[in-house]
Amino acid sequence: MSTCTTVLKLPATAPGVQRTLTIHHYGQPGARPKAYFQAALHADEIPGLLVAQHLLHGLERAQHEGRIIGEVVVVPVANPIGLSQHLNGRLLGRFDFESTGNFNRDFPNLTATVLEQVRGRLTLDPTANVALIRTALRGVLAASNAVRESTVLKRTLLSLAMDADFVFDLHCDGEALLHLYAAQEQRDEATALGAELGAAAILLEEEPGGSPFDQACAGPWRHWRDALAGEGPVPLACFATTVELRGQADVNDGCAALDAAALLRFLQRRGVLAGDPGPLPEPACEATPLDGVDVLTAPAAGVLVYRKALGDRVSAGEAVADLVSLLGEPIGASRTPLRTVTDGLLLTRAIERLVRPGQKFCKIAGQEPLSYRQAGQLLED
Ligand SMILES: [Zn+2]
């Protein structure tokens, strides 16, 4: 088996400033199934950077033992632009300082262009149809024009991942339990991965909006399947998931080694790697709808004092935190209880304890869709 490491240059943003993207390849190019991993697209989300190192060690071992059947691509540092953004001594990686916005939004949508190219060319063989669409995808993305550094980065990441069978985008939240985002129609795959990782929540959506990376990889297949239904079978050929590897401070070798081992066992179960993964653990949770996540928002500025801890079960109407105003209001009037509208699991909390009006600070995963949560606007800024 061959392994190679590629270093791609991003456009130089100033004379003497040249960032690069390092990509590790395992297995024969074109071998199937293909898995793709990237870490820290939001740059200042460090747990994935460490998990990627453990993954690389596991893949090196698998390669040494001749156990790589398919192809595995790992981008251990997905956002060198964000990783170089410091302000007043702090790393800030979620938004591009160049004003192109959130690094995990606005990935190109190639659905319509690819559809035009493959229409009338499908057969009754789903495998051949998938290969035809992937070839068209590669061509469309290669022909697209990108100049800005962050746009080139996004197109490069997508070009590495878009023809994969499995895509893992490794993120984290502020303070959080391990959880996944995936498409509603890929519930079984998401549930199996969640069981492997011991995920506390699996959040499923039909249309999150914002074109994040996982959606840009997996979402088009649903459209192609439906739009081409009269011409030939098109399966959902890409399972893509955002894996939230707990909170920003949850960086330790114990968790990272276990997470990487779980991801590698998933690859074994799906035939990317050879070897016995053992029995699949019992799921720690049932999948719930992303539009059932109550996202609590601070109504005013103040200090946030949590009443509930991560992992607590809460009930609709229950106060999760108090917002304490600070300018000398009478005692009693200075505290506002902030309540959830759903029964569910307290899944994430913001790290900040001083909040501003409109700041989202906590997520509670409930079973029932919430009326204020709108398809197409399910992600935060
Ligand atoms: Zn993130």
Side-chain angles (χ1 to χ4, degrees):
M1 289 294 174
S2 66
T3 296
C4 77
T5 298
T6 320
V7 180
L8 295 181
K9 288 181 179 175
L10 295 173
T13 51
V17 178
Q18 176 83 74
R19 279 179 275 262
T20 58
L21 197 64
T22 299
I23 304 141
H24 298 278
H25 305 259
Y26 294 87
Q28 297 293 343
R32 292 283 163 186
K34 174 181 172 181
Y36 172 85
F37 296 88
Q38 68 179 26
L41 181 56
H42 278 137
D44 53 356
E45 297 177 352
I46 311 306
L49 297 176
L50 188 60
V51 169
Q53 291 305 304
H54 285 270
L55 267 175
L56 291 173
H57 282 297
L59 289 166
E60 294 289 336
R61 197 160 50 242
Q63 177 182 258
H64 184 70
E65 294 167 1
R67 292 192 290 107
I68 296 182
I69 301 167
E71 183 182 8
V72 185
V73 176
V74 182
V75 181
V77 178
N79 187 355
I81 305 171
L83 269 183
S84 59
Q85 295 185 160
H86 292 86
L87 185 67
N88 294 340
R90 290 191 64 180
L91 174 63
L92 299 172
R94 188 172 180 84
F95 299 94
D96 181 12
F97 279 9
E98 276 281 298
S99 306
T100 62
N102 186 320
F103 281 112
N104 191 22
R105 300 289 184 274
D106 300 321
F107 277 85
N109 184 341
L110 311 173
T111 312
T113 318
V114 169
L115 190 59
E116 273 173 33
Q117 294 202 0
V118 301
R119 244 190 217 295
R121 299 171 57 201
L122 266 62
T123 67
L124 294 178
D125 177 357
T127 307
N129 292 343
V130 168
L132 175 76
I133 290 172
R134 283 179 174 151
T135 301
L137 252 177
R138 281 189 282 268
V140 168
L141 204 54
S144 68
N145 197 19
V147 178
R148 291 182 86 153
E149 190 187 28
S150 61
T151 313
V152 171
L153 174 69
K154 285 179 179 175
R155 281 174 192 258
T156 304
L157 295 174
L158 190 59
S159 70
L160 292 164
M162 67 188 180
D163 62 352
D165 301 272
F166 305 101
V167 172
F168 306 86
D169 193 11
L170 307 180
H171 288 245
C172 73
D173 212 300
E175 298 174 355
L177 305 174
L178 193 151
H179 59 287
L180 310 178
Y181 292 84
Q184 172 71 44
E185 290 195 73
Q186 293 179 313
R187 171 187 288 263
D188 291 348
E189 208 69 317
T191 300
L193 178 63
E196 201 81 70
L197 284 161
I202 298 162
L203 306 175
L204 301 180
E205 34 70 16
E206 276 189 20
E207 182 52 66
S211 199
F213 185 74
D214 58 354
Q215 170 79 9
C217 293
W221 289 97
R222 187 157 48 94
H223 294 281
W224 295 325
R225 179 197 61 186
D226 296 345
L228 297 166
E231 295 191 27
V234 177
L236 300 179
C238 176
F239 169 65
T241 177
T242 296
V243 183
E244 300 283 349
L245 293 165
R246 308 178 190 81
Q248 284 189 316
D250 294 321
V251 181
N252 62 76
D253 277 318
C255 281
L258 289 174
D259 294 340
L263 291 166
L264 293 170
R265 286 198 306 275
F266 186 85
L267 298 194
Q268 288 180 318
R269 290 187 208 285
R270 296 296 177 269
V272 183
L273 303 180
D276 178 12
L280 182 66
E282 284 296 313
C285 68
E286 273 194 29
T288 51
L290 181 56
D291 59 7
V293 174
D294 187 20
V295 181
L296 270 61
T297 304
V303 168
L304 201 57
V305 182
Y306 283 104
R307 296 193 195 184
K308 301 290 181 184
L310 288 179
D312 281 355
R313 294 266 162 199
V314 297
S315 304
E318 198 170 3
V320 174
D322 290 316
L323 184 65
V324 182
S325 57
L326 303 172
L327 297 178
E329 291 86 342
I331 298 298
S334 64
R335 278 184 181 251
T336 307
L338 303 177
R339 304 177 190 281
T340 178
V341 297
T342 190
D343 297 341
L345 177 77
L346 204 167
L347 187 60
T348 76
R349 308 194 313 186
I351 288 179
E352 298 84 6
R353 295 297 188 265
L354 181 70
V355 292
R356 61 189 184 280
Q359 184 170 348
K360 296 176 168 69
F361 65 88
C362 161
K363 295 188 192 113
I364 290 147
Q367 305 263 357
E368 302 301 325
L370 299 171
S371 58
Y372 82 91
R373 300 274 284 153
Q374 300 289 323
Q377 298 172 35
L378 291 175
L379 302 177
E380 299 144 86
D381 296 339

